[in-house]
């Protein structure tokens, strides 16, 4: 009886401790999801009033030219930034996993963008990209190469944002891959050395296969984050976004906060949520074919 009473007391204190967190999740995460889904079937007026509009917002999605371009830009961003960022992060993690002089300094330098506020990162890169007095165009000018208008030209604006996104994400991914590398037993490499395997063979036959669980985790989280790209676009380009840089989330922001069309913005958010869920589900299903667990 005494053990049962103590167990009930432990459960009671456990629920008390997690109650603030659960309330925060309920009111700030879970409830807004259901609200957004409901609002996607409504039409909003000028003073915050809304009326039920059925599937009209979803019918509008099928003919929205801006949404098509937004998905095109987001897709280009994903297929460029995600794989390049993962590949560079793996290579840096492998290099920084070696016993070299000043290793902690290198790790700190690569991790600095992660702890830097996105607004600060965007402002620094916006200055570097400035077509009149930016450092990049200054260096190109010294080499007699005409510098482009990085953030105001449709041909280079999205590429400029992708470069910043890759640069700012390498540090966090590198730390994750470092932890994955340090979880690989040294005995595998010792056995491979006895068999006469070189560095490249060890990397392709031992490191990469055993690192696939970490790669899978980074890939899933990177894809979800890439679908929601907004901050760098907003802070580097501003409210008036060109056709080549408008992402799906920025389109949601434009309709929801600039055009006061919250019902249609909610339908865009629901569509994006559904696409992310489907792609994540597919990734979870096909991981068995290429992810190797020890």
């Amino acid at each position: 009886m005494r053990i049962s009473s103590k167990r009930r007391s432990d459960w009671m204190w456990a629920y008390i401790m997690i109650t603030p967190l659960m309330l925060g999740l309920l009111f700030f995460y879970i409830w807004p999801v259901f609200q957004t889904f409901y609002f996607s079937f409504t039409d909003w007026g000028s003073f915050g009033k809304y009326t039920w509009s059925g599937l009209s917002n979803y019918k509008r999605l099928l003919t929205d030219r801006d949404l098509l371009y937004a998905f095109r830009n987001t897709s280009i961003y994903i297929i460029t930034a995600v794989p390049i960022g993962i590949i560079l992060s793996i290579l840096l993690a492998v290099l920084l996993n070696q016993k070299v002089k000043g290793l902690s300094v290198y790790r700190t330098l690569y991790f600095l963008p992660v702890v830097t506020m996105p607004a600060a990162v965007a402002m620094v890169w916006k200055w570097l990209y400035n077509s009149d007095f930016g450092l990049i165009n200054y260096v190109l000018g010294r080499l007699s190469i005409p510098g482009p208008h990085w953030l105001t030209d449709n041909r280079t604006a999205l590429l400029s944002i992708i470069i910043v996104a890759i640069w700012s994400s390498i540090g966090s991914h590198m730390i994750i891959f470092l932890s994955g590398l340090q979880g690989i037993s040294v005995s595998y490499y010792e056995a491979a050395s006895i068999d006469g395997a070189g560095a490249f063979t060890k990397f392709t036959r031992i490191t990469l296969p055993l690192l696939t669980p970490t790669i899978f985790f980074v890939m899933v989280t990177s894809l979800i984050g890439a679908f929601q790209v907004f901050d760098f676009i907003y802070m580097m380009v501003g409210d008036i976004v060109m056709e080549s840089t408008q992402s799906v989330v920025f389109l949601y922001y434009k309709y929801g906060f600039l055009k006061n069309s919250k019902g249609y913005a909610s339908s865009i958010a629901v569509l994006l949520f559904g696409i992310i869920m489907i792609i994540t589900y597919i990734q979870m299903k096909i991981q068995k074919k290429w992810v190797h667990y020890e």
Side-chain angles (χ1 to χ4, degrees), residues 28-61:
F28 297 109
Y29 289 91
I30 300 175
W31 175 243
V33 170
F34 290 100
Q35 270 191 319
T36 302
F37 182 74
Y38 173 77
F39 288 152
S40 67
F41 296 98
T42 61
D43 186 22
W44 284 65
S46 301
F47 298 98
K49 294 183 178 181
Y50 55 88
T51 57
W52 182 264
S53 60
L55 296 174
S56 61
N57 289 324
Y58 291 97
K59 292 178 181 178
R60 183 181 173 185
L61 290 175

Side-chain angles (χ1 to χ4, degrees), residues 116-129 151 164 167-168 231-237:
T116 306
M117 294 295 293
V121 172
M123 292 304 297
V124 170
W125 277 94
K126 189 175 181 179
W127 174 79
L128 291 174
Y129 281 136
L151 297 175
V164 178
W167 177 83
S168 62
D231 48 0
F232 287 131
I233 296 175
Y234 178 76
M235 288 181 284
M236 295 178 69
V237 181

